[in-house]
Amino acid sequence: MSKNTYKLDKFLSNLHEWIRQYEIDGTPGNFSYKPIDKTKSKPIRLCLYGATDMVFSLFITNELENHFKEFNEERREMWIKSIQNFQNPKTGWFKQGLWNYDNLHFKEHSTAFATSALKLLGGTPKHKLRLSKRLNNKKSVEKWLKGTEWGLLFWPGSHRGGGVGAYYATTGDLPHKDFFEWYFDWLDKEADPEAGFWRRGWIHKLNKSRLTKNELGGSIHFYWVYEFIGQPIPFPEKVIDSTLAIQNEFGLWDKDVTYCVDLDGIFCLTRCCKQANGYRKEDIKEAIIKYLDYAVPTLNDRDFLFSRYKTSHILTGALEAIAEIQKFYPELIKTPKPWRESLDITPWI
């Protein structure tokens, strides 16, 4: 096991240059989703995910004030309005076009993500979510949750139930005062006691022992809401066992680039260990060090950063994973300023 203290100095020295690839005109909030080729003359489109991703990347690393000269209240309001402009006043959903055509996330994801970015900036959505009118009784909430995709596409499908839950947790604008009681009651009953994660889809009926990154990536969208509200995560020991079982040889939870699914794995380990009174804490620390041994050198590598992180969204989860580790193991990670755990402020990223 490594006894190193991990530093992100090289990463931080490259972060602002990496972000500038996405800047349209230097105005806070005016970002693209992909690096801008300024040699081409075609119009550059302002993107919802570009605008919101950079809130997280700069907020988490505590670099917001370092990126813009004189990041004053006027500039903060400019960024808030830039994000608010993507909200449909009739439905309350935040979307870009019909299909969020850059990021291809469901409207529930983009709405929770935009709402969370606004909160980090000190803003709020301008319009209420029309869906709330349908979720004002227990039967409707259960029917809505059952309608989530729980099978092969559970990971993206969970954006529906998790994203809307995160929106309500962030805004406090509940459809009914008992909404979260109904929400957690149904989820608690449906969690798999053998895996911790939810395994209730058609694919799990075909393969009852299925345990992949998709079960992790789907379940986490509910765990963030559980933790934020203060509701115990079901079967935390089993969640830890399952999460450790699917960590790969790089210390990651998918291939060789750290991104959001690694935050998912780290969050499951740290939060469930705390809830389960230190269950497998040595194994968890070993798993986290394995992650850091691989992830930190890649983030500090300028060529890797610029060649493998080619959209604004991929990096956010990796940065939050580092912030989560620094919160629980401050002795492992040294940064000039402490990084900020946004999931303690708003339960979506």
Side-chain angles (χ1 to χ4, degrees), residues 84-325:
Q84 288 173 333
N85 286 339
F86 285 100
Q87 189 180 26
N88 184 319
K90 294 182 179 180
T91 66
W93 297 119
F94 284 81
K95 287 197 304 180
Q96 184 171 13
L98 292 175
W99 301 101
N100 286 323
Y101 44 74
D102 278 317
N103 194 281
L104 296 178
H105 277 107
F106 295 132
K107 64 183 182 295
E108 290 86 355
H109 184 287
S110 54
T111 298
F113 198 67
T115 300
S116 292
L118 285 171
K119 185 170 183 180
L120 297 181
L121 290 172
T124 59
K126 293 177 67 175
H127 310 286
K128 292 182 178 295
L129 199 61
R130 191 171 67 186
L131 174 69
S132 297
K133 295 179 180 179
R134 292 171 41 205
L135 301 179
N136 60 2
N137 61 82
K138 184 176 183 179
K139 184 177 179 180
S140 295
V141 170
E142 291 180 349
K143 181 179 179 181
W144 166 71
L145 283 169
K146 289 176 184 177
T148 289
E149 165 57 42
W150 296 94
L152 187 62
L153 299 178
F154 175 36
W155 187 351
S158 64
H159 293 162
R160 185 186 195 197
V164 172
Y167 169 88
Y168 290 137
T170 300
T171 63
D173 188 20
L174 304 183
H176 188 280
K177 64 181 179 62
D178 295 327
F179 172 81
F180 277 118
E181 180 182 339
W182 304 330
Y183 182 83
F184 292 126
D185 183 60
W186 188 87
L187 288 170
D188 285 351
K189 291 175 182 176
E190 295 294 324
D192 185 341
E194 296 301 315
F197 303 145
W198 284 272
R199 294 195 297 191
R200 64 179 310 278
W202 62 268
I203 191 69
H204 305 108
K205 291 179 174 61
L206 296 175
N207 180 4
K208 293 182 180 179
S209 62
R210 174 183 162 91
L211 184 62
T212 72
K213 65 185 179 185
N214 295 285
E215 282 70 43
L216 167 65
S219 298
I220 195 67
H221 293 130
F222 297 99
Y223 294 158
W224 291 340
V225 182
Y226 268 85
E227 183 73 1
F228 188 80
I229 295 294
Q231 178 78 4
I233 292 171
F235 312 112
E237 293 89 351
K238 293 298 184 179
V239 173
I240 291 170
D241 292 341
S242 295
T243 302
L244 289 173
I246 58 176
Q247 187 180 29
N248 69 20
E249 67 272 21
F250 297 110
L252 309 183
W253 279 264
D254 184 24
K255 298 183 180 177
D256 65 341
V257 176
T258 181
Y259 72 112
C260 62
V261 74
D262 302 307
L263 163 64
D264 304 349
I266 297 297
F267 190 94
C268 284
L269 296 178
T270 52
R271 303 302 174 116
C272 288
C273 183
K274 181 180 178 182
Q275 183 180 318
N277 299 315
Y279 176 73
R280 296 190 68 178
K281 65 178 183 179
E282 293 304 321
D283 293 334
I284 289 170
K285 188 169 185 180
E286 184 176 352
I288 285 173
I289 287 174
K290 185 178 181 181
Y291 168 78
L292 292 172
D293 279 343
Y294 180 83
V296 172
T298 61
L299 290 171
N300 279 331
D301 185 324
R302 185 185 186 282
D303 291 340
F304 192 96
L305 176 65
F306 280 79
S307 65
R308 303 300 296 277
Y309 291 92
K310 297 297 290 184
T311 72
S312 62
H313 195 63
I314 301 174
L315 188 62
T316 55
L319 301 182
E320 185 75 352
I322 298 293
E324 177 75 5
I325 294 170

Side-chain angles (χ1 to χ4, degrees), residues 15-24 36 38 67:
L15 174 63
H16 299 284
E17 182 183 354
W18 181 85
I19 289 175
R20 281 192 286 272
Q21 300 177 100
Y22 301 85
E23 290 181 339
I24 295 174
I36 297 167
K38 296 181 179 178
H67 191 75

Side-chain angles (χ1 to χ4, degrees), residues 31-98:
F31 293 97
S32 178
Y33 175 66
K34 294 181 180 179
I36 297 167
D37 185 348
K38 296 181 179 178
T39 65
K40 296 183 178 179
S41 58
K42 67 177 183 178
I44 302 169
R45 187 176 64 240
L46 173 63
C47 298
L48 172 59
Y49 276 94
T52 47
D53 287 329
M54 296 312 178
V55 176
F56 285 94
S57 293
L58 289 169
F59 181 89
I60 292 166
T61 56
N62 219 339
E63 290 290 316
L64 189 58
E65 285 73 19
N66 287 342
H67 191 75
F68 299 100
K69 292 182 179 179
E70 299 179 1
F71 189 70
N72 53 27
E73 192 60 28
E74 181 181 358
R75 292 192 168 207
R76 187 182 300 274
E77 284 298 323
M78 290 170 64
W79 203 334
I80 288 171
K81 289 178 181 177
S82 177
I83 296 171
Q84 288 173 333
N85 286 339
F86 285 100
Q87 189 180 26
N88 184 319
K90 294 182 179 180
T91 66
W93 297 119
F94 284 81
K95 287 197 304 180
Q96 184 171 13
L98 292 175

